[in-house]
């Protein structure tokens, strides 16, 4: 197993609850990977994620683009909706809850999801592999770190957890999706 | 035409003239960058072709194919007819720069015969090929370059890309977006509205307003419209019944050309898309009209949705289609689209101002 997680920035200014131990990361990420596998089996892009608040899973998501015909239904957006639903049921203020919620996701959030996470003031994102095509946390753009005065607060990222495995799942998806497609151009890692 | 006597406040139904301008990539909109080079007069015109041939071998100027090597010096009062680029200053950097550059320093006798060339002098030359007419005009002031003009961009930059009929259509669609914004505002929302249009049929497929102060903090007008289009295609993830101004038009594949109706047939630009032309696929081929520039989340949602063109009225502080980012021209992304700003600018400017304080939560 690849345990080579790297902290892009030391989250020293984050509260203790937002500096998850490697045991915590391992157990939450395991669940996120289970979600990604489920997506792969349903013919969706294999990305899985969880939103964890106070050691409780408030939202779980996997890609639902094909079934909704809505290209914005990424795993993160699906999970965010569940957190909002939880807030409604528990009569909690989403603003307060999101401020203390950590996202665990198998692939780097895309530019859209990074924008959404920022707008909701999510403080920390733990992810597996980079997203060379759409990545919004450094690969194509760096939304969490950029200066955007009217778009919520910057957030921290911890990346690289089981990255190889996450990449393998993506490769498996693109292989199965279109067997007739020409061989995809391979990127050197 | 009626004479305009006095300046008066425009009434509700009167629109103020507007222009539409393209939001170009940084490469297209920035001013040109320049490189330092040595040029020399060609004293003996008969030597020109030999000089150019030998210079090209000695100093090939890689990546600068847009430059014309020789320029004519007509009417500049000079005593020689032609000047030629010898080399970049960087090409001869290892030569002691304190010594005055003579032609024999730049062209050592062993390498090239400098007969016919005068004393070298410094010039600035454009580092990249010009992409737009303003860039071409700027570049040409320094040194002649070739220019493969994109006529559409030139016309667009003059604000003349669209005909009066097309502008009337745009105004109609943006007015629909403004109406949606006002309907949302009456419900206590930020006054932002959007419509998604199929330009081939001219039909509005979805119309929505910002709901972030309502049921969902991420329901910006664009996100609402994208989901409404999905509803029209038999999908969708949210229920907007609470918001009567958020509406969609159901589209089905019975309007395929094969089925005898050509009104909704789309002009497809490549064979990949042509295969799917009957089944509407997310926002492929559609236009978005939105009262203000989308944020980064919405802009990227439009990339994922394969939107064809975006028209917005006014810019936003953190806007991602021109202001902070140009997501529609972002390198590495798999889909790009055209963006125009300015449609019904003043009306939407007024909306933005009225948006600031929330008036009342009830209409």
């Amino acid at each position: 197993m690849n345990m080579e997680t790297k902290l892009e920035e030391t989250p020293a200014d984050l509260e203790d609850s937002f500096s998850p131990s490697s045991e915590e990361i391992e157990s939450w990420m395991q669940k996120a990977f289970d979600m990604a596998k489920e997506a792969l089996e349903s013919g969706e892009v294999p990305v899985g994620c969880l939103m964890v608040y106070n050691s409780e899973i408030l939202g779980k998501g996997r890609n639902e683009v094909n079934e909704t015909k809505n290209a914005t239904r990424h795993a993160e957006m699906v999970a965010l909706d569940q957190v909002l639903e939880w807030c409604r049921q528990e009569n909690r203020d989403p603003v307060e809850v999101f401020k203390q919620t950590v996202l665990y996701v198998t692939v780097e959030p895309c530019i859209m999801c990074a924008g959404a996470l920022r707008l909701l003031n999510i403080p920390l994102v733990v992810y597996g592999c980079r997203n060379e095509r759409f990545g919004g946390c450094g690969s194509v753009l760096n939304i969490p770190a950029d200066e955007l005065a009217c778009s919520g607060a910057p957030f921290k990222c911890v990346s690289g957890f089981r990255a190889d495995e996450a990449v393998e799942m993506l490769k498996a998806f693109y292989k199965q999706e279109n067997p007739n497609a020409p061989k995809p151009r391979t990127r050197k890692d | 035409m009626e004479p305009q006597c006095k300046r008066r406040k425009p009434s509700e139904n009167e629109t103020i003239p507007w222009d539409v301008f393209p939001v170009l990539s940084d490469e297209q909109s920035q001013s040109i960058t320049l490189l330092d080079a040595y040029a020399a007069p060609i004293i003996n015109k008969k030597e020109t072709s030999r000089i150019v041939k030998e210079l090209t071998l000695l100093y090939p100027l890689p990546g600068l194919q847009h430059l014309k090597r020789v320029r004519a010096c007509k009417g500049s009062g000079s005593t020689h007819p032609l000047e030629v680029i010898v080399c970049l200053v960087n090409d001869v950097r290892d030569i002691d720069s304190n010594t005055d550059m003579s032609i024999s320093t730049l062209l050592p006798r062993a390498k090239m015969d400098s007969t016919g060339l005068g004393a070298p002098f410094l010039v600035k030359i454009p580092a990249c090929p010009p992409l737009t007419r303003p860039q071409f005009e700027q570049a040409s002031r320094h040194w002649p370059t070739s220019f493969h003009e994109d006529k559409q961009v030139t016309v667009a930059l003059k604000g003349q890309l669209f005909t009066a009929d097309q502008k009337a259509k745009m105004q109609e669609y943006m007015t629909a977006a403004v109406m949606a914004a006002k309907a949302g505002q009456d419900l206590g929302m930020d006054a932002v509205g959007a419509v998604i249009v199929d330009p081939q049929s001219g039909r509005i497929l979805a119309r929505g307003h910002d709901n972030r102060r309502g049921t969902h903090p991420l329901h910006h007008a664009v996100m609402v419209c994208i989901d409404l289009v999905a509803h029209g295609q038999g999908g969708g993830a949210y229920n907007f019944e609470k918001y009567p101004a958020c509406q969609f038009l159901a589209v089905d594949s019975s309007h395929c050309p094969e089925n005898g109706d050509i009104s909704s047939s789309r002009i497809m630009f490549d064979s990949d898309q042509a295969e799917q032309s009957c089944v509407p696929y997310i926002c492929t081929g559609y236009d978005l009209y939105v009262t203000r520039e989308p944020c980064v989340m919405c802009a990227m949602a439009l990339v994922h949705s394969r939107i064809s063109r975006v028209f917005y009225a006014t810019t936003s502080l953190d806007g991602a289609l021109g202001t902070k980012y140009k997501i529609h021209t972002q390198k590495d992304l798999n889909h790009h689209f055209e963006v125009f700003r300015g449609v019904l600018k003043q009306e939407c400017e007024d909306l933005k101002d009225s948006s600031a304080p929330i008036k009342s939560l009830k209409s």
Side-chain angles (χ1 to χ4, degrees):
Chain A
M1 197 188 346
N2 181 7
M3 273 297 294
E4 221 182 301
T5 57
K6 61 169 182 271
L7 258 86
E8 274 161 11
E9 263 175 278
T10 317
D13 51 337
L14 289 175
E15 289 171 40
D16 287 346
S17 56
F18 302 135
S19 306
S21 64
S22 45
E23 288 76 25
E24 283 176 285
I25 291 182
E26 194 176 337
S27 96
W28 297 126
M29 285 299 274
Q30 175 58 45
K31 291 193 170 61
F33 271 92
D34 291 343
M35 298 289 295
K37 280 192 195 91
E38 195 192 310
L40 186 61
E41 283 155 15
S42 318
E44 298 274 2
V45 179
V47 180
C49 74
L50 326 171
M51 308 220 62
V52 177
Y53 168 78
N54 215 359
S55 297
E56 190 186 343
I57 300 173
L58 298 192
K60 274 173 145 184
R62 63 150 178 92
N63 203 296
E64 290 178 0
V65 167
N66 292 334
E67 64 186 70
T68 60
K69 298 176 190 283
N70 178 334
T72 71
R73 300 303 290 159
H74 289 187
E76 295 91 327
M77 304 299 265
V78 172
L80 285 171
D81 282 354
Q82 292 175 10
V83 179
L84 283 169
E85 185 53 36
W86 181 88
C87 291
R88 241 188 309 273
Q89 279 172 11
E90 301 290 317
N91 200 21
R92 297 284 296 272
D93 179 3
V95 176
E96 291 305 313
V97 172
F98 279 125
K99 265 202 289 201
Q100 300 178 62
T101 297
V102 177
L103 168 70
Y104 295 89
V105 57
T106 55
V107 180
E108 175 190 351
C110 79
I111 293 166
M112 172 189 73
C113 292
L117 295 164
R118 221 192 129 117
L119 286 168
L120 297 175
N121 296 312
I122 297 275
L124 176 64
V125 173
V126 179
Y127 68 83
C129 66
R130 282 161 62 87
N131 180 345
E132 301 288 355
R133 291 182 172 199
F134 307 118
C137 303
S139 293
V140 178
L141 290 176
N142 198 345
I143 304 301
D146 284 347
E147 204 170 296
L148 296 166
C150 319
S151 306
F155 59 83
K156 309 267 175 186
C157 292
V158 178
S159 68
F161 189 83
R162 285 165 71 174
D164 296 344
E165 202 179 326
V167 170
E168 282 311 313
M169 289 174 77
L170 288 173
K171 281 187 186 159
F173 171 77
Y174 288 110
K175 251 181 234 160
Q176 76 171 23
E177 188 190 35
N178 190 352
N180 302 320
K183 223 177 162 191
R185 275 167 278 162
T186 45
R187 277 176 189 262
K188 289 247 163 83
D189 287 7
Chain B
M1 216 209 279
E2 272 180 72
Q4 202 161 357
C5 337
K6 254 188 246 169
R7 264 200 84 82
R8 58 197 165 83
K9 253 198 144 176
S11 70
E12 196 76 33
N13 296 320
E14 189 183 355
T15 50
I16 301 139
W18 48 268
D19 285 308
V20 56
F21 295 103
V23 181
L24 300 174
S25 66
D26 286 343
E27 290 77 15
Q28 289 172 308
S29 48
Q30 74 204 352
S31 38
I32 56 158
T33 50
L34 298 167
L35 297 171
D36 292 314
Y38 287 107
I42 298 178
I43 306 295
N44 183 354
K45 211 176 167 182
K46 287 183 186 142
E47 296 280 353
T48 305
S49 78
R50 180 194 59 83
I51 288 170
V52 169
K53 212 195 254 166
E54 290 187 24
L55 273 178
T56 309
L57 280 175
L58 191 54
Y59 295 114
L61 305 181
L64 298 171
Q65 289 85 349
H66 57 283
L67 290 172
K68 306 201 169 160
R69 192 99 195 197
V70 177
R71 75 173 170 192
C73 306
K74 259 187 280 169
S76 59
S78 67
T79 52
H80 51 271
L82 299 168
E83 288 170 352
V84 63
I85 297 173
V86 178
C87 61
L88 292 177
V89 169
N90 273 351
D91 289 339
V92 290
R93 215 194 299 173
D94 37 338
I95 299 175
D96 182 9
S97 58
N98 291 328
T99 57
D100 225 11
M101 280 297 168
S102 69
I103 201 69
S104 57
T105 327
L106 294 177
L107 305 172
R109 206 166 295 272
K111 289 181 180 165
M112 185 182 152
D113 172 12
S114 59
T115 312
L117 282 170
F121 56 94
L122 278 170
V123 284
K124 300 239 181 235
I125 56 171
C128 301
L131 299 170
T132 64
R133 186 155 282 280
Q135 285 182 343
F136 172 62
E137 283 163 5
Q138 196 192 355
S140 303
R141 281 198 287 276
H142 295 278
W143 195 272
T145 69
S146 54
F147 177 40
H148 301 286
E149 183 172 17
D150 182 334
K151 288 265 163 53
Q152 178 168 325
V153 169
T154 297
V155 174
L157 280 170
K158 286 188 201 156
Q160 298 168 346
L161 185 59
F162 301 103
T163 65
D165 284 354
Q166 287 170 321
K167 283 186 75 182
K169 273 289 187 194
M170 284 177 203
Q171 177 154 332
E172 179 191 324
Y173 297 134
M174 192 61 88
T175 302
V178 169
M179 299 305 281
K182 286 179 174 165
Q185 193 177 28
D186 288 343
L187 297 172
M189 308 298 168
D190 288 357
V192 188
V195 297
I196 290 178
V197 175
D198 177 359
Q200 298 306 316
S201 67
R203 291 180 303 184
I204 294 180
L205 302 179
R207 187 180 68 196
H209 55 73
D210 200 287
N211 287 331
R212 82 186 75 176
R213 300 197 187 208
T215 34
H216 198 301
L218 300 179
H219 280 175
H220 298 186
V222 171
M223 299 301 275
V224 170
C225 278
I226 287 172
D227 199 53
L228 287 168
V229 168
H231 276 280
Q233 296 170 354
Y238 300 100
N239 185 335
F240 296 108
E241 277 168 18
K242 273 180 76 175
Y243 308 112
C246 296
Q247 291 180 339
F248 63 88
L249 183 72
V251 287
D252 54 54
S253 51
S254 65
H255 292 279
C256 287
E258 291 95 294
N259 297 342
D261 182 351
I262 51 160
S263 67
S264 63
S265 71
R266 300 222 192 95
I267 298 160
M268 284 301 160
F269 300 99
D270 62 56
S271 54
D272 268 5
Q273 284 180 302
E275 279 169 30
Q276 317 176 322
S277 63
C278 283
V279 187
Y281 175 65
I282 47 179
C283 298
T284 306
Y286 297 160
D287 292 344
L288 170 82
Y289 290 79
V290 57
T291 55
R292 73 177 190 210
E293 186 187 353
C295 72
V296 67
M297 171 185 70
C298 291
M300 190 61 192
L302 292 165
V303 173
H304 288 314
S305 300
R306 305 285 191 275
I307 200 81
S308 174
R309 296 186 296 180
V310 171
F311 298 85
Y312 64 80
T314 69
T315 56
S316 301
L317 283 175
D318 281 351
L321 297 181
T323 301
K324 273 282 159 89
Y325 305 100
K326 290 176 173 173
I327 300 264
H328 61 297
T329 69
Q330 179 72 42
K331 287 205 178 91
D332 306 333
L333 293 181
N334 62 346
H335 177 70
H336 299 114
F337 50 89
E338 292 178 2
V339 173
F340 300 90
R341 63 172 169 77
V343 181
L344 231 51
K345 186 164 178 249
Q346 190 55 53
E347 283 79 353
C348 295
E349 207 68 73
D350 295 345
L351 271 183
K352 226 160 56 172
D353 296 341
S354 71
S355 244
I358 286 271
K359 288 172 182 167
S360 145
L361 279 173
K362 279 179 186 155
S363 55

